[in-house]
Amino acid sequence: MKNKRASNIEVKKINRNRTFRYISKFDRISKPEIAAALGISLPTVLQNTKDLISLGLVQEAGEFQSTGGRKASAITIVKDAYTAIGIDITRHHIGLVLTDLSGRILIHERFYKLFENHSTYYKEMAQRVQQFKVKYIPEGTRFLGYGLSVPGIIDKENKTILYSHALNLSNLPCSTVSQFIQDPCVFINDANSAGFAEIYHESHFENAIYLLLSQSMGGTFIRENNEILSDEPLGDTLYMGDNNRSCEFGHMTLFPGGLNCYCGKSGCADSYCSSKVLSRETKGDLEAFFKKLASGDSQMQPIWEEYLNNLSIVINNLRMLYDSKVIIGGEVGCFISPYLEQLKERVSHRNTFENDASYVTVCTYNVESSALGAALVQIERFINRI
């Protein structure tokens, strides 16, 4: 009898969670629409929304126009009921994002600071983060905490940064990085974080590769799912591998015996496809590279052609491995849209089975996707407890 009661409680929690998630997909929605979409009874939806209203997470939002009968009342989530901040730590800068239950980027800032594994760096980061919080989150607003995105491998217990070639770290306790931050913190790999942000608002998403092309190259494999429902924020959405280090695409060998990689090996894809391959031509300014390219600069054109050729090899290899959509993200993803057809043409030429490359797409977020994804981990942790 006890087990049956526990099971009923769990079912109620799942239905309440699903109800909240579905409401959050719309500006306004009616209760009959929720019941029809989720396949649960209208009385269940009525009870769920009543519970969510009492928790301050949902509110009435007027009425819909009548279609001949009684007007249906509209409901919406209270987006600013809870907030979270995402922090993206890179070798050269720190990105900050504020989000709420809407899961959207509300405010974003970036300050340039060369990473240093020292208390002075962590103290300054905490001070900047606190200033950001005080500036943009009204006093009294319920704050869930911080998500920290780092270019490295995080252990399954979320306690240690096992490896980060980009930051030159190994076996560093996460608590060292967050030692001066007072609120709860959770850590996540930068590529996993960006990939999570990319699909967060999809009610249904297909298998996809998110290819992160920033100062370092990485990625994640997004697994097909109908909705995010798991005790863990990332649940079964992202394939993490046996040791939380799957999808290190930047360290696939692209050209044996080729260029030296920062990881100490040679010929890695990172050395040919990261954003710094392009930005080094314009003193580290990637936007300046693409401005010159768009203007027809004769020096940038051959560099870009070689970059596209190398990137097409990587994408075709990923297609052969995963047979899924490939989303171009990261810093390069912000600028590649005008050249997407050029890339697709090269990818299509390499593909053994297909004559087109419609499976290659561009990311949704052009700014701070990793910081947003990190913040969303805190949002997800909260929603899973509703």
Side-chain angles (χ1 to χ4, degrees):
M1 190 71 177
K2 184 177 180 180
N3 290 337
K4 182 178 180 180
R5 178 174 174 78
S7 177
N8 288 339
I9 291 173
E10 186 63 25
V11 169
K12 289 180 180 178
K13 179 182 176 183
I14 290 172
N15 282 332
R16 186 169 62 244
N17 195 285
R18 293 178 69 213
T19 300
F20 177 82
R21 288 184 184 280
Y22 193 76
I23 296 171
S24 70
K25 305 290 181 187
F26 304 90
D27 289 332
R28 299 195 311 161
I29 191 74
S30 71
K31 296 165 188 174
E33 287 176 303
I34 298 170
L38 298 182
I40 56 181
S41 69
L42 183 56
T44 298
V45 171
L46 293 174
Q47 183 60 53
N48 287 340
T49 54
K50 181 180 178 181
D51 292 344
L52 293 169
I53 288 172
S54 68
L55 291 170
L57 301 175
V58 165
Q59 62 187 359
E60 299 285 348
E63 295 179 331
F64 289 102
Q65 288 186 337
S66 174
T67 57
R70 182 179 178 182
K71 291 182 179 180
S73 61
I75 54 174
T76 185
I77 65 167
V78 182
K79 296 177 182 179
D80 59 356
Y82 288 87
T83 60
I85 290 175
I87 307 169
D88 181 34
I89 300 173
T90 76
R91 279 184 287 180
H92 301 291
H93 73 262
I94 297 176
L96 302 175
V97 160
L98 171 66
T99 191
D100 58 15
L101 296 183
S102 72
R104 306 289 183 183
I105 294 178
L106 303 178
I107 302 289
H108 66 89
E109 287 186 357
R110 175 179 291 189
F111 63 94
Y112 291 88
K113 177 72 176 177
L114 192 65
F115 178 80
E116 183 182 8
N117 183 21
H118 194 276
S119 60
T120 55
Y121 175 92
Y122 301 129
K123 183 176 290 186
E124 181 178 346
M125 178 184 71
Q127 290 171 345
R128 294 276 194 138
V129 166
Q130 180 63 22
Q131 291 169 2
F132 182 82
K133 178 186 175 185
V134 171
K135 183 177 180 180
Y136 294 114
I137 300 180
E139 188 175 352
T141 300
R142 288 171 288 189
F143 180 64
L144 296 173
Y146 299 95
L148 285 86
S149 160
V150 296
I153 309 301
I154 314 297
D155 73 336
K156 292 183 178 181
E157 288 72 35
N158 205 253
K159 292 183 178 180
T160 306
I161 302 173
L162 298 176
Y163 309 101
S164 176
H165 289 295
L167 302 181
N168 192 29
L169 298 176
S170 62
N171 296 313
L172 180 73
C174 293
S175 58
T176 299
V177 179
S178 60
Q179 60 183 297
F180 299 107
I181 298 177
Q182 301 301 315
D183 296 288
C185 294
V186 60
F187 286 72
I188 181 174
N189 168 268
D190 59 347
N192 288 336
S193 182
F196 188 54
E198 190 68 24
I199 53 84
Y200 186 77
H201 293 284
E202 300 292 331
S203 58
H204 175 81
F205 47 87
E206 300 175 346
N207 292 333
I209 292 294
Y210 180 85
L211 185 59
L212 182 74
L213 302 175
S214 290
Q215 294 174 35
S216 58
M217 177 182 172
T220 192
F221 178 51
I222 303 162
R223 297 197 284 196
E224 183 174 9
N225 202 349
N226 288 317
E227 53 191 336
I228 303 172
L229 280 175
S230 173
D231 291 335
E232 290 300 319
L234 300 184
D236 294 326
T237 305
L238 305 182
Y239 176 70
M240 308 294 284
D242 292 342
N243 301 288
N244 268 26
R245 56 170 183 254
S246 67
C247 302
E248 286 288 339
F249 303 134
H251 300 292
M252 300 186 301
T253 302
L254 194 58
F255 296 110
L259 298 173
N260 291 331
C261 178
Y262 68 83
C263 74
K265 307 298 182 182
S266 62
C268 292
D270 186 282
S271 299
Y272 298 88
C273 297
S274 68
S275 65
K276 63 180 179 286
V277 173
L278 305 175
S279 62
R280 68 189 176 201
E281 304 297 329
T282 48
K283 298 181 180 180
D285 189 338
L286 186 64
E287 184 177 4
F289 172 88
F290 280 99
K291 284 183 178 179
K292 287 190 173 186
L293 181 65
S295 70
D297 190 299
S298 59
Q299 291 184 325
M300 300 300 115
Q301 193 61 43
I303 295 169
W304 179 240
E305 293 289 333
E306 182 180 5
Y307 182 89
L308 283 180
N309 285 333
N310 293 333
L311 182 57
S312 71
I313 296 173
V314 170
I315 292 174
N316 185 61
N317 288 345
L318 295 177
R319 180 67 171 180
M320 294 302 104
L321 282 168
Y322 294 94
D323 189 29
S324 69
K325 179 167 70 173
V326 178
I327 304 168
I328 308 299
E331 295 173 348
V332 174
C334 299
F335 297 99
I336 203 170
S337 289
Y339 310 97
L340 187 60
E341 292 307 315
Q342 294 180 24
L343 176 60
K344 286 183 177 181
E345 182 179 347
R346 287 164 171 77
V347 172
S348 178
H349 178 71
R350 297 187 185 282
N351 196 300
T352 304
F353 305 108
E354 299 162 296
N355 295 322
D356 72 273
S358 58
Y359 57 86
V360 181
T361 63
V362 179
C363 62
T364 301
Y365 290 101
N366 290 332
V367 294
E368 305 299 357
S369 57
S370 292
L372 173 61
L376 289 176
V377 174
Q378 288 287 17
I379 296 293
E380 270 300 295
R381 284 188 162 188
F382 170 74
I383 292 176
N384 287 339
R385 297 194 300 266
I386 292 175

